Amino acid sequence: MLNKRKVVLVVNSRKLKILAAVVDEYIRTGEPVGSKAISELYNINVSAATIRNDMAALEQLGYLEQPHTSAGRIPTFAGYRLYIDELMNPSALSDEEKQRLDRMLGDKDTPEELLIQNAAAALTEITQCAAVVTNSAPRFSVISKVEVIPTGKRLYVILLITSNGSIKNKACRLEFDLDNEQLEFFTRYIEENLSGVSVDELSEEMFDKMVAAVSAYMVSLSPLVMGLCELSEDLRQQELTVSGSEKLLSCSELDKMEVVKFIEHKNGLSDLLEDTFSGIQVKFGSENNFAIGNSSLIVSKYRKGGKEAGSLGIIGPMRVDYKKIIPYIEYLTQQISCLMSGNDDDIIITDTTDGIIPKS
Amino acid sequence: MLNKRKVVLVVNSRKLKILAAVVDEYIRTGEPVGSKAISELYNINVSAATIRNDMAALEQLGYLEQPHTSAGRIPTFAGYRLYIDELMNPSALSDEEKQRLDRMLGDKDTPEELLIQNAAAALTEITQCAAVVTNSAPRFSVISKVEVIPTGKRLYVILLITSNGSIKNKACRLEFDLDNEQLEFFTRYIEENLSGVSVDELSEEMFDKMVAAVSAYMVSLSPLVMGLCELSEDLRQQELTVSGSEKLLSCSELDKMEVVKFIEHKNGLSDLLEDTFSGIQVKFGSENNFAIGNSSLIVSKYRKGGKEAGSLGIIGPMRVDYKKIIPYIEYLTQQISCLMSGNDDDIIITDTTDGIIPKS
DNA sequence: ATTTAGCACTCACAGAGTAAGAGTGCTAAA
DNA sequence: TTTAGCACTCTTACTCTGTGAGTGCTAAAT
């Protein structure tokens, strides 16, 4: 073991100040930060040599690392983590900034779907990173209408509409054509059994029971129930939209291959966003099994009427300006929560599925 | 003018053989090809010196070029073109290869949409290039059903179904609620005016007329017509999917910046694919105004019931193994055409739109 | 016990010089 | 018309070198 060195391995306030300075400076320039730069640019009133000693300690403590001997330091994951959780002081949004965001977001008449799209667009523009939004509203809504529409020989389209305005459809093929009476029976049956039911409550078992019930009347109706089951599954899973992902391609610190793969498949993202948490959350790509290596995911949940209704955030390089971006995201989620909860009555968003049925 | 040289500027069969050898070898190795390599590897029974003379002639004829003096030769655009059109002899697919493709593609029960997705996936895997598919089926289909479904106060969902199975829906808000008679009038009117009409024929003017006609009966119906108009626009534009575009980033001969720009915007691609042509077509990026410089686009159209229904191909570097890839693409389009036309009667793919209507 | 100045040391990076190797064009002979 | 031979060109890889940034350590100062 070389590199054994007499440094005081105690974090004190100066060391923290230095760590913060290193992270700030690294975020600003993207270059490894040396002791001299810190002593000159940040008013920690000690000499470069002292800072060097502290930096050596911070390195041994696992907060900083050197790309190579005799280069400056860059933050480690732990360094970023400490910085984000404890050290940085977020820059409060100015009134102009808030107004700008409000304008970009929309007002209480803006449909929910558009609201979160606007938020994503705003984030993309301001941060120059990819924005990501999820909407789990459909999951917490109730079925407001079910329709079965004959569209061809033995061919029916089922339509499922929820209270929050999602519309899903799916084509189903039956073995036989239904006559009016049969169709009416089925429509009435599902209307009675599904109308007003919360999407979250729908389960496969429930549909299994319906298949049984309906089959008693007419066996060949079951594909319709199965179709409904699949639609309800679509509703249950949260929608995830990533916008501005091309911005990630111009981040030199991200691997282009990984970014492109991410753009195509969005690997691992929805898992990361399904966790429940409160406040803002910062996750690093390399620490979760997320497609892009040195990336950072900053997200916050918005709420509707007290309930989590989705999340909103950005994906960028680890080296993003956290102290600026975090307040932006916080403000946006807060405003969205506010706008959404304000008027709960009759928002309509169309929102649809793709589905495919086998030919035979 | 230096480089003026006494060479016989006549293409003869040996020169063509040499050109083919240069292209083959360059495709194989990616390195400029020298006279020695050809005399050793390809059985043209003349000395390297003779080949050198012929290569000088081929260079003056514009089929070959030298990256720098005293390097081997690489093909020019014209060289590739001649090779592709006349010289190469495509390697016929073995039975195993055909079976492999068939397995990857699906069978006659595989829905159309999935069929072309599978084809794209197969091409990506086999060629290690980006695959591109378009589907203009919706455009050549006819409207088979239009429905207007009341779903809430002053709120209606329009449903548009085409003969090829695309289903699009959209929510519309009206100023007033419709009574049964009004709804029936409207449904009957659009049913009469749209049913059986080819999607390709639908135009804004047509909908303008409908707005006028319908407004005469009741002014506030026009949002419904506008909604239909928007849905029809969605149907008209051909769908274009590029898969595996990350593969292009690992092609050393392509400019990464250009690839990135292409991935972002797919510049120029849909124009290139909208041309009608028969058989297989090879286009070079630099010759068309297509985003990626030294790229090559190899596409073929598949047909459904005799009519062009979309295209299928790859985007790769100019230096791709044409004689292998072209038979692959030909086989795939042939099989797709076959599978699609086989049972033309009642294929159904659901395929839907997202839409948003303002709240009030 | 901390902090600081001074100094030797390490490492990445860029530029210059060099040797090897591949491939050519040209000439003259077959 | 083809071929062998040869001088020439150009790329590539390698080595050597100097420079600059930044460090770690020591010894002196506070």
Side-chain angles (χ1 to χ4, degrees):
Chain A
M1 259 292 172
L2 298 170
N3 231 359
K4 203 170 7 181
R5 176 98 179 295
K6 223 187 342 186
V7 280
V8 188
L9 290 185
V10 174
V11 264
N12 54 30
S13 81
R14 190 184 62 206
K15 288 206 185 75
L16 292 178
K17 223 168 151 184
I18 290 172
L19 177 55
V22 171
V23 180
D24 277 333
E25 187 64 8
Y26 181 65
I27 285 174
R28 203 175 63 84
T29 65
E31 299 289 310
V33 183
S35 53
K36 208 174 137 212
I38 289 188
S39 74
E40 283 168 2
L41 295 169
Y42 294 77
N43 51 348
I44 295 160
N45 294 310
V46 289
S47 76
T50 307
I51 292 175
R52 266 204 293 289
N53 288 332
D54 284 352
M55 281 166 86
L58 287 166
E59 180 168 355
Q60 282 197 38
L61 288 164
Y63 295 121
L64 292 178
E65 64 186 341
Q66 280 181 297
H68 54 264
T69 337
S70 86
R73 257 83 174 195
I74 60 177
T76 60
F77 292 124
Y80 274 115
R81 183 63 67 199
L82 187 57
Y83 171 84
I84 291 165
D85 292 345
E86 314 275 352
L87 305 180
M88 74 168 174
N89 66 332
S91 57
L93 266 55
S94 69
D95 284 347
E96 296 99 80
E97 285 170 317
K98 285 183 184 175
Q99 279 162 26
R100 183 177 169 215
L101 287 179
D102 287 340
R103 269 197 311 278
M104 292 174 97
L105 203 53
D107 55 27
K108 66 184 175 50
D109 290 333
T110 312
E112 287 184 9
E113 183 72 17
L114 201 54
L115 219 50
I116 62 174
Q117 272 172 26
N118 288 346
L123 278 177
T124 305
E125 194 186 317
I126 289 168
T127 67
Q128 293 294 309
C129 293
V132 42
V133 292
T134 67
N135 182 9
S136 41
R139 205 165 139 183
F140 298 114
S141 60
V142 301
I143 305 279
S144 65
K145 193 163 186 87
V146 193
E147 285 267 333
V148 180
I149 303 157
T151 62
K153 48 178 177 178
R154 307 195 306 280
L155 206 54
Y156 296 84
V157 168
I158 8 179
L159 202 65
L160 204 57
I161 302 179
T162 71
S163 59
N164 84 313
S166 297
I167 306 173
K168 303 254 171 202
N169 68 40
K170 187 170 167 57
C172 286
R173 175 175 306 283
L174 297 188
E175 310 264 317
F176 308 101
D177 255 322
L178 303 180
D179 61 31
N180 269 344
E181 190 196 333
Q182 290 162 332
L183 186 59
E184 205 171 300
F185 162 80
F186 183 75
T187 308
R188 202 173 49 243
Y189 177 82
I190 55 173
E191 188 81 36
E192 272 166 17
N193 282 273
L194 288 181
S195 252
V197 176
S198 144
V199 172
D200 215 24
E201 285 171 40
L202 298 172
S203 65
E204 246 173 86
E205 294 81 56
M206 204 169 149
F207 285 103
D208 282 346
K209 270 187 215 161
M210 288 179 64
V211 169
V214 158
S215 297
Y217 179 83
M218 184 175 174
V219 168
S220 74
L221 284 174
S222 55
L224 292 177
V225 183
M226 297 319 292
L228 278 168
C229 180
E230 282 169 41
L231 288 185
S232 80
E233 266 162 39
D234 282 350
L235 282 173
R236 243 169 304 151
Q237 73 183 51
Q238 67 176 353
E239 289 152 32
L240 185 147
T241 318
V242 179
S243 72
S245 44
E246 76 275 4
K247 305 276 184 191
L248 298 180
L249 284 168
S250 24
C251 288
S252 56
E253 40 262 285
L254 300 180
D255 180 275
K256 297 226 189 316
M257 280 290 272
E258 289 181 339
V259 171
V260 173
K261 270 189 201 148
F262 167 74
I263 291 175
E264 288 194 3
H265 304 113
K266 318 254 181 291
N267 282 338
L269 187 53
S270 55
D271 294 342
L272 272 185
L273 290 171
E274 282 204 342
D275 300 0
T276 43
F277 55 83
S278 65
I280 208 145
Q281 188 157 88
V282 180
K283 290 182 175 179
F284 302 137
S286 323
E287 292 186 323
N288 303 280
N289 55 351
F290 173 60
I292 311 175
N294 272 315
S295 67
S296 179
L297 171 70
I298 315 175
V299 276
S300 178
K301 301 257 177 187
Y302 59 86
R303 318 180 126 259
K304 180 181 168 183
K307 254 191 190 166
E308 269 185 12
S311 46
L312 170 72
I314 66 142
I315 298 171
M318 304 240 341
R319 188 177 81 71
V320 291
D321 194 348
Y322 296 96
K323 64 180 186 305
K324 242 187 163 176
I325 289 179
I326 287 179
Y328 273 110
I329 295 179
E330 275 174 344
Y331 183 74
L332 283 174
T333 47
Q334 178 197 315
Q335 291 300 94
I336 289 178
S337 302
C338 204
L339 289 171
M340 280 197 180
S341 305
N343 42 347
D344 213 5
D345 47 6
D346 61 2
I347 300 142
I348 268 294
I349 305 153
T350 67
D351 155 30
T352 53
T353 356
D354 284 354
I356 293 168
I357 63 150
K359 286 182 200 165
S360 70
Chain B
M1 260 293 171
L2 297 169
N3 230 358
K4 201 169 10 182
R5 176 96 181 296
K6 221 183 350 184
V7 280
V8 187
L9 291 185
V10 175
V11 262
N12 53 31
S13 82
R14 192 183 62 206
K15 289 206 184 75
L16 292 179
K17 223 168 153 184
I18 290 172
L19 176 56
V22 171
V23 179
D24 276 334
E25 187 63 9
Y26 180 63
I27 285 174
R28 203 175 63 84
T29 65
E31 299 291 309
V33 182
S35 52
K36 207 174 137 214
I38 289 188
S39 74
E40 282 167 2
L41 295 169
Y42 294 78
N43 53 348
I44 296 161
N45 295 310
V46 289
S47 77
T50 308
I51 292 175
R52 266 205 292 288
N53 288 332
D54 283 353
M55 280 166 87
L58 286 166
E59 181 168 356
Q60 283 196 39
L61 288 164
Y63 295 121
L64 293 179
E65 65 186 340
Q66 279 181 298
H68 54 263
T69 339
S70 87
R73 257 82 175 195
I74 60 176
T76 60
F77 291 125
Y80 274 115
R81 183 62 67 196
L82 187 57
Y83 171 84
I84 292 165
D85 292 345
E86 314 276 352
L87 306 180
M88 73 168 176
N89 65 333
S91 58
L93 266 54
S94 70
D95 284 347
E96 295 99 80
E97 285 170 315
K98 285 183 183 175
Q99 279 161 26
R100 184 177 169 214
L101 287 179
D102 287 341
R103 269 197 310 277
M104 293 174 97
L105 204 52
D107 55 27
K108 68 182 173 48
D109 290 334
T110 312
E112 288 184 7
E113 184 72 18
L114 201 53
L115 219 49
I116 62 174
Q117 273 170 27
N118 288 347
L123 279 177
T124 304
E125 194 186 317
I126 290 167
T127 67
Q128 293 294 309
C129 293
V132 43
V133 293
T134 67
N135 182 9
S136 42
R139 202 166 141 183
F140 298 115
S141 59
V142 300
I143 305 279
S144 65
K145 193 161 187 88
V146 193
E147 285 267 333
V148 179
I149 302 157
T151 62
K153 47 179 176 176
R154 306 195 305 282
L155 206 53
Y156 296 83
V157 169
I158 9 179
L159 200 65
L160 203 57
I161 301 177
T162 71
S163 58
N164 84 312
S166 296
I167 305 173
K168 303 253 171 203
N169 69 40
K170 186 171 168 57
C172 288
R173 178 177 302 283
L174 298 188
E175 310 264 317
F176 308 101
D177 253 323
L178 303 180
D179 60 31
N180 268 345
E181 190 197 333
Q182 289 162 334
L183 185 59
E184 207 170 300
F185 162 80
F186 183 75
T187 307
R188 203 173 46 242
Y189 177 83
I190 55 173
E191 187 80 34
E192 274 166 16
N193 280 273
L194 288 182
S195 250
V197 176
S198 144
V199 171
D200 214 22
E201 287 171 42
L202 298 173
S203 64
E204 246 174 86
E205 294 81 56
M206 203 168 149
F207 284 103
D208 283 346
K209 270 187 213 160
M210 289 179 64
V211 169
V214 158
S215 297
Y217 179 83
M218 185 179 175
V219 167
S220 74
L221 285 174
S222 55
L224 292 177
V225 183
M226 297 319 293
L228 278 169
C229 180
E230 282 170 40
L231 288 185
S232 80
E233 265 163 40
D234 283 350
L235 283 173
R236 240 169 308 149
Q237 71 183 51
Q238 73 173 353
E239 290 151 33
L240 184 147
T241 318
V242 179
S243 72
S245 42
E246 81 272 7
K247 307 277 185 193
L248 298 181
L249 281 169
S250 26
C251 286
S252 56
E253 41 263 284
L254 301 181
D255 181 276
K256 297 230 188 313
M257 279 298 276
E258 288 181 339
V259 171
V260 167
K261 272 190 199 145
F262 166 73
I263 292 173
E264 283 178 29
H265 304 113
K266 318 253 182 290
N267 282 337
L269 186 54
S270 54
D271 294 344
L272 272 185
L273 290 171
E274 282 203 343
D275 300 1
T276 42
F277 54 82
S278 64
I280 209 145
Q281 188 159 87
V282 180
K283 291 182 177 180
F284 302 137
S286 323
E287 294 186 320
N288 303 277
N289 53 351
F290 173 60
I292 311 174
N294 272 315
S295 67
S296 178
L297 171 71
I298 315 176
V299 276
S300 177
K301 302 256 177 187
Y302 60 86
R303 319 180 124 257
K304 180 182 167 181
K307 253 192 191 167
E308 271 185 11
S311 45
L312 170 72
I314 66 141
I315 298 171
M318 304 240 341
R319 187 177 80 71
V320 291
D321 194 348
Y322 296 96
K323 64 180 187 306
K324 240 187 163 176
I325 289 179
I326 286 179
Y328 272 111
I329 295 179
E330 274 173 344
Y331 185 74
L332 282 174
T333 48
Q334 178 197 315
Q335 290 300 93
I336 289 179
S337 302
C338 202
L339 290 171
M340 280 197 181
S341 307
N343 38 353
D344 207 8
D345 46 5
D346 57 5
I347 298 143
I348 269 292
I349 303 155
T350 67
D351 156 27
T352 53
T353 356
D354 283 354
I356 293 169
I357 64 151
K359 284 186 202 163
S360 74

